Amino acid sequence: MPYSRPHLPALLGYLTALVAGVLTTLTASPFEQWWLGPVAAGLVYWALTYGAAAPLRASQAALLGWCYGVGLFGSGASWIYVSIHDYGYTGVPLALFLTVLFVCAMALFFAVVLWLYRLVCGPRLAWLTFAGAWVLGEWLRTWLFTGFPWLLLGSSQVDSPLAAWAPIGGVYLLSLIVVLSGTLGVEFLRRRWWTAFPVAVVWLIPLALPAQWTEPAGEPLRVALLQGNLDQLIKWTPEGQRHAANTYLEMTREFAEGVDLVVWPEAALPMFEDQAEPILARAQAHLDPGSALLTGILQREGQDNYNSVIGLGNAEGEYRKEHLVPFGEYLPLERWLRGAIAFFDLPMPAMTPGPSGQTPMRAAGTVIGNAICYEIVYPDLVAERARHSELLLTVSNDTWFGESIGPLQHLQMARLRALENGRYVVRATSNGVTAVIDQYGRVVAQAPQFETVALLAEAVPLQGLTPFTRFGSWPVWLLSMLLVIPGLRLGRSVRP
């Protein structure tokens, strides 16, 4: 008997895509239901390919993709509202409007991808071409308009059986396998039984992959990560500056003894480095001989301001943040936006991006690769730092997330960077989540959120390169392009 496929009314198809976006959020922290990744991708594939009685027009495919994006960012990036309302001095109606505007705008990435996919690809090998198109869409979202690689589908797989693929191809390879699992699952339900074999292969191969790609480069470092838990709303006032200085000086005095490396978080002292020199000199006096202190701090040269990491004691070099956050560290279209809404009036000076190719820092005899705050979500940027370092350091001010799910998602992405590169990641934040992550992406020590606390742990410097660290993401992007080719329409068109 021929297979009879069920059809969805158009509205129900869009609702299916919306639900799939929410399910994708559930794959990420703090929910961590990684097995829902193939389900979510499969639902979108089914609604696009088989759900309607007639093939979808390109405009319908775009709306389907947009609905998925609204479900994903509306649920998974809800912390945007907290940043705008709680810390952006913005009233509820305007904060809601700006959050909805952000969600709807970000959802356009998926709308454009499915629109183009429907225009250029036919039904031939759709289960394959759809997966390739999805990863190319994630690549587009990583760099276009400075990029927003948040909630990439592969990021949720750090605890799944697929995790062993991460050192080989990174987060985009994980995304590709998750989407292929979803599309092949749909084909399996359509009684194409052969699809069970490739799914089983990609999920079982990790059992044969190397467990260790890197090896120790020295003795473990004893680290003290200081979490000041400062009030963001008063941090940049004179009172907040005094409180920050007293907090970190007292914690350093108490916890620096017997430690190789002390770390303060991003912009720990809410002032410029030249203003903080007396405070930094007092902090250095608390260090043991041979130990180092690294801290996030602001620097200025002429008209340029930098979000930086500097070292005290047994430390060399500095790092200036290269990839800035729009609306957080600089204001696009500043001439028109500053002063129009309180949210657009930055609570600290606008930053200048640091140069690319900066020399790694050294601290306590270890080569350090830095990624300040949001930079840790960019896999290839972190891989470039890992090629030349033995330990990855990320300092962050996650206070902007409040008590939302944002800090937990941020931590999960830092865990994947550790796994991709076979490096320990030391993560110091203002109010959580402060943690030490090993080369397998496991959290080996973690401080409680929203407390003034020092996290004492060990971090192992590691040497050697994983395939992902060596080559980055471009092999997976190239593979994704090749997967799309079999489905290209040659001389045929589809209704827009």
Side-chain angles (χ1 to χ4, degrees), residues 28 36 76 101 142 205 212 275 278 391 407 450 483:
L36 286 173
L101 182 64
T142 298
I205 281 180
Q212 180 81 19
Q275 298 170 311
L391 181 74
F450 316 118
L483 295 183

Side-chain angles (χ1 to χ4, degrees), residues 140-437:
L140 182 71
R141 182 155 62 91
T142 298
W143 64 266
L144 191 63
F145 306 126
T146 78
F148 188 68
W150 201 275
L151 294 171
L152 300 179
L153 195 56
S155 295
S156 63
Q157 302 301 305
V158 67
D159 291 311
S160 85
L162 296 178
W165 285 107
I168 296 176
V171 64
Y172 299 103
L173 180 58
L174 293 177
S175 291
L176 183 63
I177 294 172
V178 169
V179 181
L180 275 174
S181 299
T183 59
L184 287 168
V186 170
E187 298 298 337
F188 181 82
L189 294 176
R190 296 185 69 243
R191 302 178 186 173
R192 298 185 177 183
W193 311 122
W194 62 268
T195 58
F197 177 73
V199 171
V201 168
V202 295
W203 283 78
L204 290 175
I205 281 180
L207 297 176
L209 292 175
Q212 180 81 19
W213 291 94
T214 54
E215 60 185 14
E219 295 298 317
L221 294 179
R222 296 162 295 176
V223 300
L225 312 182
L226 307 188
Q227 180 176 288
N229 194 35
L230 306 177
D231 186 344
Q232 185 67 28
L233 293 176
I234 67 167
K235 181 176 178 180
W236 293 89
T237 66
E239 177 189 354
Q241 291 174 325
R242 287 193 296 271
H243 180 60
N246 292 335
T247 296
Y248 284 106
L249 282 174
E250 178 59 26
M251 294 180 74
T252 302
R253 183 193 65 79
E254 183 176 356
F255 296 105
E257 184 177 356
V259 168
D260 299 306
L261 178 63
V262 179
V263 183
W264 295 2
E266 177 187 18
L269 299 177
M271 59 190 75
F272 287 102
E273 180 184 3
D274 59 286
Q275 298 170 311
E277 286 179 355
I279 302 169
L280 296 174
R282 292 172 59 189
Q284 181 166 330
H286 294 312
L287 300 178
D288 287 346
S291 65
L293 186 153
L294 300 180
T295 179
I297 200 164
L298 304 185
Q299 296 179 313
R300 56 186 174 187
E301 288 185 4
Q303 299 299 311
D304 295 326
N305 305 312
Y306 299 96
N307 188 355
S308 306
V309 173
I310 62 171
L312 306 175
N314 184 16
E316 301 174 12
E318 64 182 17
Y319 171 71
R320 292 177 170 177
K321 188 176 183 182
E322 179 181 342
H323 200 118
L324 303 180
V325 181
F327 303 105
E329 293 174 308
Y330 73 97
L331 185 60
L333 306 175
E334 180 176 4
R335 178 180 177 184
W336 293 276
L337 293 180
R338 186 176 290 277
I341 300 174
F343 172 67
F344 294 135
D345 295 331
L346 298 173
M348 64 180 188
M351 297 293 108
T352 302
S356 59
Q358 298 178 56
T359 302
M361 299 182 68
R362 293 187 66 91
T366 301
V367 186
I368 306 289
N370 282 284
I372 297 179
C373 190
Y374 184 57
E375 289 184 313
I376 199 69
V377 309
Y378 288 86
D380 288 271
L381 183 148
V382 176
E384 190 277 331
R385 309 282 161 77
R387 286 183 203 120
H388 309 289
S389 65
E390 300 165 334
L391 181 74
L392 293 172
L393 170 69
T394 177
V395 295
S396 184
N397 178 14
D398 283 3
T399 309
W400 296 99
F401 293 116
E403 297 183 20
S404 70
I405 60 178
L408 301 175
Q409 294 173 344
H410 206 183
L411 174 66
Q412 185 179 52
M413 288 178 272
R415 292 178 58 203
L416 188 55
R417 301 293 89 82
L419 178 61
E420 288 170 338
N421 296 288
R423 294 287 189 275
Y424 266 68
V425 170
V426 173
R427 187 172 193 265
T429 70
S430 296
N431 69 346
V433 180
T434 296
V436 174
I437 306 163

